[in-house]
Amino acid sequence: MKLLSTFLLALLPNAAAADTWLGGWRSDLPWDVLDANLSSGASLVDTTPIQYLDECAPEFDKPLDPTWISNPARSNHGMIDQPSGLCMPHFFCAFEDCNPSPDNRTGSDGILVADSVPDTTLYSEMNPTVKAWVDWTENPSYDLPSKVVFPAVASDVVAAIQFAKEHNLEVSVKNSGHSYTKASSKGNTLHINMNRYYQYATNDGVTDCDPNMAELVSRAAGDTDDLSDQPCRLSLAKNKDAVVRVGGGENWDKVYRAVKAANEAQPDGYKYLAVGGAAGTVSPMGWTFSAGLSGTTAGRAFGFGVDQVVQIELVLPNGQHVKFGPTEWEMVEGFDAPQTRSITGLCNTNPEGTEDAWMWEPCPDDINFDDLWFAVRGGGGGTWGVITSMYLQLHDYMPLERIAIRYNGCVQDQLDETQAKAWNDLAQKFEILFLLDPFTIGVSEARSNACGWPMADTAFSCYGEGAGRYFDAAWKRYLNENRSVLETQGISPAIIDDALNCTTYTIEDAEISDQGALSAQSTTILKFRDYPETATLPPGTAYPGKVVDSPLPGYGPSNYQQQNVLVPKKWILENIDLAVAFAPPNLLGLGLGISGYRAFGGKASNSVSDGSNSLSSAHREAGYMFNYPHWYADDLFSSILPQWFDMSGDSGFPAYLGANHASINTRGPLKDDWSKGCPLDWSKEERDEKCVSLQEAIWGTKVLQRLEEIKLKVDPHFMFNCNGCVGNNLKRGGEDIHDTSAAPVPMVTLVPSFLIATAIGAFSTFVF
């Protein structure tokens, strides 16, 4: 075997990379010293692609069960506890750019490879050519770490970072590996897998805040001793009376179950509501710090994930264990959240001790905690340090009602194609108004904000008693008031009456399995006590008691062909008829429309921001986010974005992408011509050189420049250099990477044929 390996090594185009597997990564370093400095609960392990295949591939030989919502066969729950810590829900992301090809390295090549292996494919039945690449463990495209640290306590993280600092190593960090840009796994790095870290939410539960502490909310920063009461003081200032501390290795499954356990323990009924992600295996850290979209847990009522954070604890690239949060704030007219005025941070001078022996004192080095608070909350995970824990505010409990709306209930079969389109257009206009301009149709702001819809869901998630019936009644009222619009299309009054009288079914005390058999003809309302009940796997399944992951494990990232485009709320309301044609409702069984993410436009806008986070204005001011295919990028940049954002170049390049679920293949337009997309058939190097970066497309030139300035202060040696993260696109040597000299993009007057095809099923043009 050794002779064969030596022979193969000579054939590899990157022999140094292959030596990672054959000779061990950085065997010149004193790894025994790092191992000796770890706690008894931590471990340092050597890993190779062999372990990746042995531990992770078997999960992909399980079918994608069509009844996955109540009994998934393939799940990330089956991989996150594997011994090597290498597994990821996107199987091909074990390779550079999530592409297993040894030599075809363009974005379009990667897409073609992933297309040849649909997610439903069993691993053992994979395309033979692709499987040969994957099974070749010396494939130079493998991009997995070879040393993995599993910390158990903060001192383990400090030891790993100090070792990396001393030996000039790059570090990668992972919780569950859910990143669509492969940000959480990288070859030739010391990998810190947080999955076995102490679980604060699971072990310590929810903290109720003493209302008497409200008298101290304006206490000066100099009196904050160890910041132990800071999370509650800030939460009380927001009129919230509970927080939960989340460990750096916990996922939403663990957090939701901890909050549910606290609710079950209440003598007078449920008390708490946590705003989080839909997928149980997603990390609250990566989810939150990329923005945190919540279409399922009342994000439109309470804000994005970044708006839930009240304190952060992390280990910086310099090895210091710090915690920090706002200690001075003020209420400002027009904002529901107190506006942050000062951040206080402390350093742990005894990280080697148990937590009750930690000593939080002023930091010996000058650390700008105001900058860190701004950068971490919205500037993405994995690049500022290792999050060991954070405190999240909890909200007053509201029951959940899931409404699987059938706008054309009971009359689907009575409409011809033209009539169906008119009906769907009316339904989409209602939905836009309900979510983004509710007063115009007699809907209260609170009822509107209580509803949301994540990408590719089957129902709205609405919070509050009677929320489902309220939504249904609002639609039928709107339908009745606008029946003349439909009658002009030849739809008889009798058909409209049939729809108005169509029975709406309600399932009390619903279970997860009830969502798999929804009526195709009538609206169904399912009542749950909380979000976990909609997604917790029942007894008899492979992972009973756990919150399902979504999407289920596949081969390429599920959005590798698309980019997450933010649609401004202002544009939608000012051009509502065009917006209706742009994205019809995602009606079940009709196959129409772009599935938009409805987690925007309510309190998730500026009103709940503390004014000190790095989310772009495009994110705060969006009405929807939807996936736009890369193949139509020229249309996007020449025809659409100029309608939505300032593409003149006067203020740099504008943010237009959402960070959550950002695609590994996404770039902005050409640097020298913002009306043209970045060709997928270029190499990665050429795309990075000639196209606006993914980072600049997410944050925009101005915000990204500030984030990069902070990055250079916090991590000047780029210890953390994760793919798609702030700093990852920086050229070394001080070159200016932000070229804002491109000519303004001309305004055009045609909707691209792709959009019309999507909206009405036929290629045509549409004049504004």
Side-chain angles (χ1 to χ4, degrees):
M1 178 63 185
K2 184 173 183 180
L3 287 174
L4 176 60
S5 298
T6 304
F7 172 73
L8 289 172
L9 177 60
L11 298 178
L12 295 179
N14 186 348
D19 186 60
T20 296
W21 317 123
L22 301 178
W25 182 63
R26 296 302 307 272
S27 57
D28 58 308
L29 298 181
W31 294 105
D32 57 326
V33 174
L34 172 58
D35 194 43
N37 287 332
L38 299 177
S39 70
S40 59
S43 59
L44 172 66
V45 300
D46 292 303
T47 58
T48 73
I50 295 174
Q51 287 168 286
Y52 183 77
L53 295 177
D54 287 347
E55 297 176 8
C56 315
E59 193 69 22
F60 290 84
D61 245 346
K62 299 176 182 177
L64 280 182
D65 193 322
T67 61
W68 70 269
I69 195 165
S70 59
N71 185 18
R74 186 192 300 177
S75 172
N76 199 35
H77 284 300
M79 295 189 287
I80 57 178
D81 293 325
Q82 291 296 331
S84 69
L86 295 178
C87 296
M88 290 173 282
H90 317 302
F91 188 77
F92 288 163
C93 285
F95 300 87
E96 185 178 357
D97 301 325
C98 302
N99 178 3
S101 171
D103 45 24
N104 297 320
R105 306 306 309 159
T106 69
S108 54
D109 289 329
I111 290 173
L112 290 173
V113 170
D115 278 347
S116 73
V117 187
D119 288 343
T120 54
T121 306
L122 297 181
Y123 172 78
S124 58
E125 299 174 359
M126 189 187 300
N127 176 295
T129 299
V130 178
K131 191 171 187 301
W133 295 338
V134 171
D135 290 345
W136 180 28
T137 57
E138 294 163 15
N139 184 337
S141 294
Y142 262 114
D143 192 35
L144 291 167
S146 304
K147 291 283 186 180
V148 179
V149 175
F150 289 96
V153 291
S155 62
D156 299 325
V157 180
V158 171
I161 296 300
Q162 289 177 339
F163 185 88
K165 179 183 176 183
E166 180 181 354
H167 299 288
N168 196 29
L169 300 178
E170 191 176 325
V171 170
S172 57
V173 189
K174 181 166 68 175
N175 178 311
S176 67
H178 203 269
S179 169
Y180 286 58
T181 59
K182 196 183 177 302
S184 56
S185 181
K186 190 176 183 181
N188 296 321
T189 63
L190 175 58
H191 185 67
I192 299 177
N193 187 305
M194 294 294 288
N195 190 45
R196 302 175 195 170
Y197 194 78
Y198 183 80
Q199 298 178 7
Y200 291 101
T202 300
N203 295 320
D204 302 341
V206 167
T207 297
D208 288 305
C209 299
D210 182 358
N212 295 324
M213 195 182 294
E215 301 174 3
L216 305 176
V217 296
S218 61
R219 189 170 66 178
D223 298 329
T224 55
D225 51 25
D226 65 352
L227 295 180
S228 58
D229 61 357
Q230 180 271 335
C232 270
R233 289 192 296 108
L234 178 55
S235 289
L236 289 168
K238 296 182 175 187
N239 295 315
K240 311 296 178 183
D241 59 4
V243 296
V244 61
R245 187 180 182 189
V246 180
E250 293 184 281
N251 55 27
W252 281 118
D253 165 59
K254 296 179 175 68
V255 175
Y256 287 144
R257 286 193 283 149
V259 173
K260 188 171 186 65
N263 274 329
E264 295 284 353
Q266 297 300 310
D268 299 320
Y270 278 28
K271 181 179 179 182
Y272 315 106
L273 187 154
V275 173
T281 54
V282 164
S283 156
M285 276 53 67
W287 178 87
T288 297
F289 300 133
S290 292
L293 299 181
S294 178
T296 49
T297 56
R300 296 186 66 253
F302 300 122
F304 297 115
V306 297
D307 302 319
Q308 315 308 315
V309 182
V310 291
Q311 188 183 91
I312 296 169
E313 177 192 306
L314 83 161
V315 178
L316 292 168
N318 65 7
Q320 289 180 321
H321 183 208
V322 302
K323 68 176 176 180
F324 55 98
T327 50
E328 294 182 12
W329 50 79
E330 65 176 320
M331 296 305 301
V332 176
E333 186 177 355
F335 290 90
D336 294 334
Q339 298 300 284
T340 296
R341 295 293 179 254
S342 180
I343 305 296
T344 298
L346 300 173
C347 286
N348 181 7
T349 59
N350 185 35
E352 296 80 13
T354 57
E355 186 158 350
D356 58 1
W358 287 353
M359 300 176 64
W360 294 104
E361 300 177 355
C363 296
D365 298 326
D366 184 20
I367 300 173
N368 190 325
F369 285 106
D370 292 275
D371 276 352
L372 272 177
W373 185 251
F374 170 85
V376 176
R377 295 182 318 121
T383 194
W384 310 105
V386 181
I387 303 292
T388 49
S389 75
M390 62 180 176
Y391 278 92
L392 303 177
Q393 67 185 29
L394 298 176
H395 303 271
D396 292 339
Y397 168 75
M398 293 189 293
L400 169 60
E401 297 190 4
R402 299 259 294 160
I403 176 169
I405 186 77
R406 301 294 184 267
Y407 291 112
N408 52 5
C410 294
V411 300
Q412 297 100 318
D413 299 336
Q414 301 180 55
L415 305 175
D416 63 28
E417 185 176 345
T418 300
Q419 293 170 341
K421 178 189 178 302
W423 198 292
N424 291 336
D425 286 352
L426 185 69
Q428 174 62 7
K429 190 170 185 177
F430 162 77
E431 184 184 294
I432 289 172
L433 294 174
F434 184 95
L435 295 176
L436 304 182
D437 199 9
F439 291 120
T440 62
I441 57 171
V443 171
S444 72
E445 183 182 30
R447 285 294 196 181
S448 167
N449 293 340
C451 295
W453 181 307
M455 199 78 75
D457 203 346
T458 59
F460 276 96
S461 293
C462 298
Y463 283 80
E465 192 67 43
R469 285 284 177 181
Y470 187 94
F471 190 108
D472 185 51
W475 158 242
K476 289 182 176 177
R477 183 174 65 248
Y478 184 80
L479 172 62
N480 190 47
E481 292 171 352
N482 291 274
R483 59 192 302 149
S484 62
V485 174
L486 301 179
E487 289 171 357
T488 61
Q489 298 296 320
I491 300 174
S492 70
I495 291 178
I496 298 172
D497 289 339
D498 286 345
L500 290 171
N501 295 317
C502 189
T503 301
T504 296
Y505 296 97
T506 299
I507 301 177
E508 304 282 350
D509 301 321
E511 299 178 353
I512 183 174
S513 57
D514 292 323
Q515 299 177 103
L518 298 173
S519 169
Q521 294 292 322
S522 300
T523 292
T524 304
I525 298 170
L526 302 96
K527 293 188 174 184
F528 299 91
R529 282 180 295 180
D530 56 15
Y531 173 68
E533 286 194 353
T534 74
T536 300
L537 297 170
T541 59
Y543 308 102
K546 293 184 180 293
V547 177
V548 297
D549 53 335
S550 174
L552 294 173
Y555 292 98
S558 60
N559 66 343
Y560 62 98
Q561 297 192 53
Q562 304 162 328
Q563 50 187 316
N564 298 332
V565 179
L566 300 166
V567 188
K569 172 182 174 180
K570 183 174 183 292
W571 179 88
I572 293 172
L573 294 179
E574 290 179 351
N575 301 272
I576 193 165
D577 291 331
L578 181 59
V580 165
F582 189 78
N586 184 29
L587 299 178
L588 290 180
L590 296 181
L592 290 174
I594 303 169
S595 179
Y597 213 123
R598 288 89 149 173
F600 302 85
K603 293 290 184 180
S605 62
N606 288 317
S607 63
V608 293
S609 169
D610 74 336
S612 184
N613 58 79
S614 45
L615 283 191
S616 70
S617 58
H619 206 107
R620 288 285 182 189
E621 296 166 7
Y624 288 127
M625 183 179 80
F626 72 93
N627 285 340
Y628 191 100
H630 289 306
W631 311 113
Y632 299 93
D634 283 356
D635 288 338
L636 176 69
F637 295 120
S638 66
S639 303
I640 301 174
L641 290 194
Q643 309 286 338
W644 298 348
F645 304 107
D646 179 7
M647 299 286 283
S648 68
D650 295 341
S651 302
F653 189 78
Y656 75 94
L657 290 178
N660 287 110
H661 302 172
S663 168
I664 195 168
N665 289 317
T666 296
R667 303 291 187 278
L670 298 181
K671 289 180 180 179
D672 60 5
D673 186 349
W674 289 358
S675 68
K676 289 183 168 44
C678 187
L680 281 168
D681 57 0
W682 285 358
S683 68
K684 181 180 183 296
E685 291 73 22
E686 189 172 11
R687 300 183 84 218
D688 289 344
E689 177 186 353
K690 297 181 179 180
C691 304
V692 172
S693 70
L694 170 65
Q695 292 88 336
E696 199 164 359
I698 290 173
W699 288 286
T701 302
K702 287 189 174 181
V703 173
L704 181 60
Q705 284 180 335
R706 183 181 175 189
L707 288 171
E708 288 171 346
E709 289 169 0
I710 297 170
K711 172 69 174 177
L712 289 170
K713 294 175 184 177
V714 172
D715 188 15
H717 302 295
F718 294 88
M719 177 184 290
F720 295 87
N721 190 24
C722 49
N723 192 59
C725 300
V726 170
N728 181 244
N729 61 309
L730 283 173
K731 291 182 179 178
R732 306 301 181 256
E735 300 174 67
D736 183 6
I737 63 168
H738 303 295
D739 180 7
T740 60
S741 61
V745 177
M747 187 75 75
V748 298
T749 58
L750 295 181
V751 173
S753 57
F754 157 70
L755 296 178
I756 299 302
T758 302
I760 61 175
F763 286 89
S764 61
T765 56
F766 187 94
V767 179
F768 286 164

